[in-house]
Each structure stands twice: as C-alpha cells, then as structure tokens.
Amino acid sequence: MRQGRWYGRGLRAMLYICALLYLATPLLGYFALEGVFAQARGGGGPALIAPAFVQSPEWRARKLAFQVSRPRFSGDIPPSCPSPCTVYPSAFLLDTSVVEQTLEPAKVGKDAAGHAYQDPNMSKLCGPGAATNALYFWGLTPQQAPAGAYTDPSDGITSTWDAKHNRAYIAYLAWRTQMPGWPQAGMMDQHNPSRGVTLYGMRDGLNWEASRHDAAHWHDYFYTVVWWNQSSAAQFHHAVVDDIASAHVPVIAEVNARLLPNWSPKGQPITHFVTIVGYDDVNGTYVYTDSCGASTGCGSLKDGGTTTVAQAQMWAAITAIPVNPSTAFNAGDGGYVF
C-alpha cells in the first residue's frame, strides 16, 4: 500500500517534471544558443537561422552542368546560345553604364532628404549593392525601386533614399524584399551590428527578384550557391563565361576585399561581395563592380566604376574566405553565386 502510494505519487511527480521540462525546453534552448551566439558576435538578440532551402537535386545538377537557360521576359536580352553553350567569345563585357554608379551610403551623413543620420550597418550593404548590380541585367532597373524612407530593423534607424547611386534599390533589397519562408524582410541579417548577407540570402534574394516574385518557381529559378572547396578556378571561370557571354548576367563572388586591386592590402581581412561583369581570356582578367566607395568611408579606394583583376587573383580572393555552409546568421560563407 505504501509502495503503491509512493509509486502513484512518484509517477505524478515524474509527469509534472516532464511537463515542466517540455514547456521549458524552448526557453532553455534560447539561453543556450544565445550564450554561444552572443560570444560569436559580441552581444545582441537571439540568433535567427536562415531557412535551409534545398534546391531540387535534378535542377541543381543541370545548373552545374550549364544546362539551365536564362528564363526570359518581354524586353529581356535572350541567351546568346543554347544550354549548354559550346562556343564562347574570348572576351565579353556587359553594359555597365548604370551599375557602375551604384554606391552604398556612408555610415554617417545626410540622406536623400537632407536629414542627418548615423547607421554603422550601412558599411555592411555590399550584399544588397552587388545584388542591385546583378538584377539590373534581369531588366530590373534600380531607378524603379520606390524612393522614400527605409528603416534598418537591426537598430531602428530610418533614412530616406532615391535613385541617386541606386540607393533606394539597395535599401529595398536590404530591408524590404520579402522572400517566402524567410524569418524577416530583406536580405540583410537583422542583428545589431548586422552580419550582412549570407550566400544563401544572396542566392534566394536574386532568384526571388529575378523571377518577379514567382511564388511557384522562384527557388529553382536561375541561381545556385557553389562553395569554393567543391569547385576550382576552371569551374568558376566556366560559370563566369557562361553567365556573362551566354545568359548576359553577372556572377556574384564573396571575396576577401584586401586581395583585390581597388582595396588597400593592409589591415584585417574583409569579407565582401563583388559583381563580375566581364572577362578577357586573352589577357587572363575579369572585370567587376564594387558598390563600396572611398567617398563614403566604406574601404574601397575609389567610387563606382569597374575594376580589372587577374583571374588568378580573383580566385585567390574567393578562396581566402573560409567555407562555412551552416545556415546560421553569421555563417553561409565561402563561395560564389551563379
């Protein structure tokens, strides 16, 4: 009888404990993760994990085999040859007259409305800047982005931008575009300080916008991520040549900016995005745009325009970024999107 009563009380107690643990697990997990990620980023809120979207294996195999043609819209430039293309020109340069004007805002300054602002996360906008330049070649003119006030959700700072230097489009991609299934609006991570854009965010932002928000087909639309340790300089070159000469769209690469000619080689390594808009196999070079500028204190030695770099030097800048394919907000690094 006592044994039976103890068993009944013990069973009830165990059930109560299990229930409490069940209810507390998310909270315990929050604090456990928060401790890890706060150490990694030096403070801030709980970590947002990007959705681990898995592109169709069949589609991705065709993409890596250069068998995915660029989808077309009325007025778009059609691909120059079927996929896979077998003959490429020895050199090709896209029309950069618009994208070479793209320039991220400064961390401190006056916005398009003449209002003073201070937002340190402005120096992290190389991802939306590179995406702005790439999407121009999908017929998405940066000047079409709505001018007006944009709020950086990581710190709540609002500033106003218009078509000058294509900044309204940068702000739209950074904080307003809404990719289905993403935990927040915009391509940017929303911790403060922001960690910028992951390669997953770049891939999905490009596909969502290039597809004109095609809810049914956007994810397997055109772009995929290639980690550099699963690639080679030759494979990267093939991706650049096929995208530029055949599909007439750029490739976006994540690089250590210190290894590129428009940056000073001195100082800490800087993880950065650039848009490759041309190549020349006779001279062994690539041409790229960089939305970071000297006048805005971003780090580049010049404003806008294009820069020519040796193909081997570009690959070295890409492979200088450690590969981290995790979907954590402070990961998703080490490769290119084509």
Side-chain angles (χ1 to χ4, degrees):
M1 190 79 162
R2 283 180 64 173
Q3 186 177 6
R5 273 206 330 267
W6 179 90
Y7 177 82
R9 291 175 181 172
L11 179 60
R12 286 195 296 271
M14 290 177 65
L15 291 173
Y16 291 150
I17 292 170
C18 289
L20 289 171
L21 287 174
Y22 175 79
L23 293 173
T25 294
L27 189 60
L28 292 172
Y30 166 89
F31 286 116
L33 288 173
E34 171 59 11
V36 173
F37 289 122
Q39 184 179 12
R41 67 175 180 272
L48 288 177
I49 305 299
F53 289 124
V54 177
Q55 292 181 305
S56 161
E58 183 275 333
W59 178 88
R60 193 165 188 274
R62 289 193 298 109
K63 174 66 179 178
L64 295 176
F66 305 98
Q67 296 173 359
V68 174
S69 296
R70 176 191 177 193
R72 292 185 59 187
F73 289 93
S74 176
D76 281 353
I77 301 173
S80 61
C81 64
S83 297
C85 191
T86 56
V87 179
Y88 299 102
S90 59
F92 200 102
L93 178 65
L94 298 171
D95 179 2
T96 63
S97 58
V98 171
V99 299
E100 65 184 14
Q101 302 172 32
T102 303
L103 188 64
E104 303 159 38
K107 292 187 287 187
V108 179
K110 290 186 177 181
D111 63 13
H115 301 142
Y117 73 91
Q118 183 172 344
D119 185 354
N121 291 320
M122 291 293 186
S123 64
K124 311 291 180 63
L125 293 177
C126 62
T132 291
N133 285 349
L135 289 167
Y136 168 76
F137 297 96
W138 290 89
L140 299 169
T141 306
Q143 291 90 336
Q144 295 173 343
Y150 289 86
T151 299
D152 177 352
S154 60
D155 54 21
I157 296 173
T158 298
S159 50
T160 299
W161 304 107
D162 55 20
K164 187 176 181 180
H165 295 304
N166 303 323
R167 286 176 177 166
Y169 201 27
I170 292 176
Y172 164 79
L173 293 174
W175 302 310
R176 191 172 293 178
T177 183
Q178 185 64 69
M179 296 173 280
W182 273 77
Q184 76 269 322
M187 297 171 64
M188 292 283 287
D189 162 61
Q190 292 187 2
H191 295 91
N192 190 27
S194 174
R195 298 298 290 261
V197 174
T198 68
L199 283 168
Y200 298 108
M202 181 63 69
R203 175 197 69 182
D204 293 332
L206 290 175
N207 280 331
W208 176 241
E209 293 298 326
S211 72
R212 269 69 168 184
H213 303 172
D214 184 341
H217 306 104
W218 73 277
H219 202 256
D220 292 338
Y221 191 71
F222 184 78
Y223 289 99
T224 195
V225 174
V226 179
W227 310 104
W228 68 254
N229 64 350
Q230 299 174 8
S231 183
S232 67
Q235 290 169 329
F236 172 70
H237 179 259
H238 192 174
V240 169
V241 169
D242 193 75
D243 271 16
I244 291 176
S246 177
H248 305 311
V249 296
V251 170
I252 292 183
E254 186 184 32
V255 298
N256 176 0
R258 295 293 186 191
L259 301 181
L260 295 182
N262 66 310
W263 284 73
S264 169
K266 300 178 181 179
Q268 293 285 336
I270 296 177
T271 302
H272 192 53
F273 284 108
V274 296
T275 310
I276 301 171
V277 293
Y279 69 90
D280 184 338
D281 288 343
V282 175
N283 295 304
T285 57
Y286 295 127
V287 178
Y288 64 92
T289 63
D290 190 338
S291 61
C292 185
S295 66
T296 58
C298 182
S300 174
L301 300 177
K302 66 177 186 177
D303 285 352
T306 61
T307 303
T308 300
V309 62
Q311 292 176 0
Q313 187 175 350
M314 175 61 76
W315 183 244
I318 293 170
T319 57
I321 302 297
V323 173
N324 186 343
S326 165
T327 58
F329 77 98
N330 56 352
D333 294 303
Y336 55 94
V337 177
F338 88 104

